[in-house]
Amino acid sequence: MAVKRDYYEVLGVAKGASDEEVKRAFRKLALEYHPDRNKEPNAEERFKEVNEAYQVLSSREKRSAYDRFGHAGVASNGGAGRGFEGFDTFSGFGDIFDAFFGDFGAATRTKARPTRGRDLEIGLTLTFEEAAMGTQKTVRVSRIETCDRCQGSRSEPGTSMETCGACRGAGQVKRSQQSLFGQFVQVAVCPSCRGEGRIVSQPCQKCRAQGVERNTRELNVAIPAGVEDGSHLRLASEGDAGSHGGPPGDVLLLLNVKGHRVFQRDGSNLLLNLSINFSQAALGDSVEIPTLGGTTSLAIPAGIQTGAVLRVKGQGVAKVHDRGRGDLFVTVHVVTPRSLDPEAKKLLEQLAGKLSGGQVLEEDKGWFHRIKDSFGGGSGP
């Protein structure tokens, strides 16, 4: 008859080891020698030996008897004397894992946690004036909402959900399988209630136990003055409904701003091109120019050159994230006439002579050279 090894030696712990140390040692050795993991010839016997040692040393009563009388003290105690048969007291290796590694089925259990609803994106086209000045718009949103009949409970009004009979409210089921080495237990999400532990006995007739429905709503939106092309507005809590009590998502309005036939935009500033004739450029003038709100008077200083930029304060676009408005920048273009009658041509030539004493000065040559060349009167660069 083979001599039994000391149980402390089997687990590799000292005689005064704590319960936690005994547990850690057993956990390590059980994994190492389990026959499904270890295919060495002696793995099964070592596993039986480790299991037997742990059943004794994990019990305060059995351990005390073993410390006093050795193997004889526990031989008649129904656990250790039966060797590997004692494995049945754990309901299989799966239950050993439950005891030492936690409920390994919990990782697969589905819990109904509150989940935020989905955000929705909607494109909205604005005119140049609407974006610059602000406006009111109505947008249509197709979204998922909580069912107004069952208020999301999925059950007919006046009824309630019942405890799942398949898992008895646990949300999970255990499947047992017998093998040569004992009973193995697998934990899985309950297929009947999908982990909720409850089932709908009388489904809502409107949403068919979904708890939600799709509806189309019209939302009135205030577009602030100064929004730009490509920007977006967030409508909080106007998206899809959340699940299991979670908050709804948002609606994101993606703005597309049309161009303008007169103005261009640079942030909160407006840009305008203004054409004037030669006499206005030379003598100066006061002209009416368009603005977003109507018209305003602009003073043209005498002697202005093509490309000069005049600034009109406060006639730009409202600043979305700041106070006030931008400015209007007017770029001046002096227009050269394409054709002149003989009298006008003669007067212009006389004027050119008087301005420069009969000669075109180098610094003024830019104006008159272009004018004379356009009528064939240029004499070269």
Side-chain angles (χ1 to χ4, degrees):
M1 179 177 177
V3 178
K4 286 182 177 291
R5 287 203 301 158
D6 179 77
Y7 288 147
Y8 291 102
E9 179 185 347
V10 171
L11 295 183
V13 297
K15 189 172 183 179
S18 65
D19 292 343
E20 183 62 30
E21 290 174 328
V22 170
K23 184 185 296 186
R24 284 200 302 267
F26 169 73
R27 178 169 51 185
K28 178 181 177 181
L29 294 172
L31 287 173
E32 180 180 353
Y33 291 110
H34 187 273
D36 285 349
R37 297 168 57 92
N38 192 327
K39 302 302 180 182
E40 295 181 1
N42 65 337
E44 180 180 340
E45 292 302 320
R46 289 285 287 122
F47 181 74
K48 293 178 182 179
E49 186 181 38
V50 167
N51 179 58
E52 180 179 326
Y54 177 73
Q55 289 190 58
V56 171
L57 299 186
S58 63
S59 168
R60 182 170 299 181
E61 180 183 350
K62 293 177 183 179
R63 183 173 180 177
S64 176
Y66 178 73
D67 289 344
R68 294 174 62 189
F69 305 109
H71 292 291
V74 294
S76 60
N77 195 330
R82 300 201 314 271
F84 188 63
E85 293 177 357
F87 182 56
D88 291 339
T89 63
F90 288 92
S91 300
F93 192 64
D95 285 346
I96 292 178
F97 269 33
D98 282 350
F100 295 101
F101 300 96
D103 183 2
F104 64 90
T108 60
R109 188 181 305 167
T110 300
K111 294 184 179 180
R113 297 181 178 179
T115 304
R116 183 178 180 274
R118 186 170 60 100
D119 290 340
L120 304 177
E121 292 187 357
I122 300 176
L124 179 62
T125 299
L126 303 173
T127 65
F128 191 93
E129 290 84 358
E130 287 174 335
M133 307 297 289
T135 187
Q136 292 281 338
K137 285 288 187 179
T138 299
V139 295
R140 294 173 61 86
V141 179
S142 177
R143 66 188 182 188
I144 295 175
E145 299 179 344
T146 300
C147 175
D148 59 8
R149 179 176 176 84
C150 67
Q151 301 301 315
S153 69
R154 299 182 292 165
S155 301
E156 270 292 289
T159 67
S160 59
M161 299 179 70
E162 297 179 354
T163 301
C164 177
C167 65
R168 298 180 181 179
Q172 60 179 0
V173 292
K174 291 186 177 182
R175 299 186 179 93
S176 301
Q177 183 179 0
Q178 197 70 29
S179 73
L180 176 64
F181 307 108
Q183 186 182 35
F184 291 87
V185 179
Q186 180 183 11
V187 181
V189 173
C190 176
S192 298
C193 66
R194 298 181 181 180
E196 292 189 29
R198 299 185 302 165
I199 58 174
V200 177
S201 58
Q202 298 185 45
C204 173
Q205 296 180 7
K206 186 175 184 181
C207 67
R208 299 181 181 180
Q210 296 300 310
V212 293
E213 57 184 342
R214 181 170 291 279
N215 290 317
T216 299
R217 302 293 185 186
E218 289 189 347
L219 305 178
N220 294 320
V221 184
I223 306 297
V227 295
E228 297 189 60
D229 181 55
S231 60
H232 69 271
L233 297 179
R234 181 179 295 272
L235 307 182
S237 302
E238 295 291 357
D240 282 348
S243 59
H244 304 295
D250 300 334
V251 168
L252 298 179
L253 291 181
L254 306 181
L255 304 181
N256 174 37
V257 180
K258 296 180 179 179
H260 196 276
R261 62 184 182 85
V262 174
F263 298 110
Q264 289 183 326
R265 185 169 171 180
D266 181 14
S268 61
N269 297 321
L270 291 179
L271 309 179
L272 174 68
N273 290 319
L274 176 65
S275 296
I276 62 175
N277 59 41
F278 172 74
S279 62
Q280 289 175 308
L283 303 176
D285 198 0
S286 178
V287 298
E288 290 292 315
I289 60 171
T291 64
L292 283 177
T295 62
T296 190
S297 179
L298 177 66
I300 306 294
I304 196 168
Q305 304 292 307
T306 289
V309 178
L310 302 177
R311 178 183 179 186
V312 183
K313 292 185 178 181
Q315 290 295 334
V317 177
K319 300 177 181 178
V320 178
H321 303 294
D322 199 356
R323 295 181 180 180
R325 299 174 60 177
D327 300 326
L328 172 62
F329 291 90
V330 182
T331 301
V332 175
H333 299 274
V334 180
V335 177
T336 303
R338 293 182 177 276
S339 61
L340 291 173
D341 57 43
E343 183 179 358
K345 181 177 180 182
K346 183 177 181 180
L347 291 173
L348 187 59
E349 290 174 343
Q350 292 176 357
L351 176 62
K354 289 181 179 180
L355 289 176
S356 59
Q359 295 182 352
V360 178
L361 302 178
E362 288 298 322
E363 58 266 29
D364 295 330
K365 199 170 184 178
W367 271 359
F368 295 108
H369 180 68
R370 288 194 295 271
I371 294 174
K372 295 175 71 175
D373 282 350
S374 66
F375 300 120
S379 56

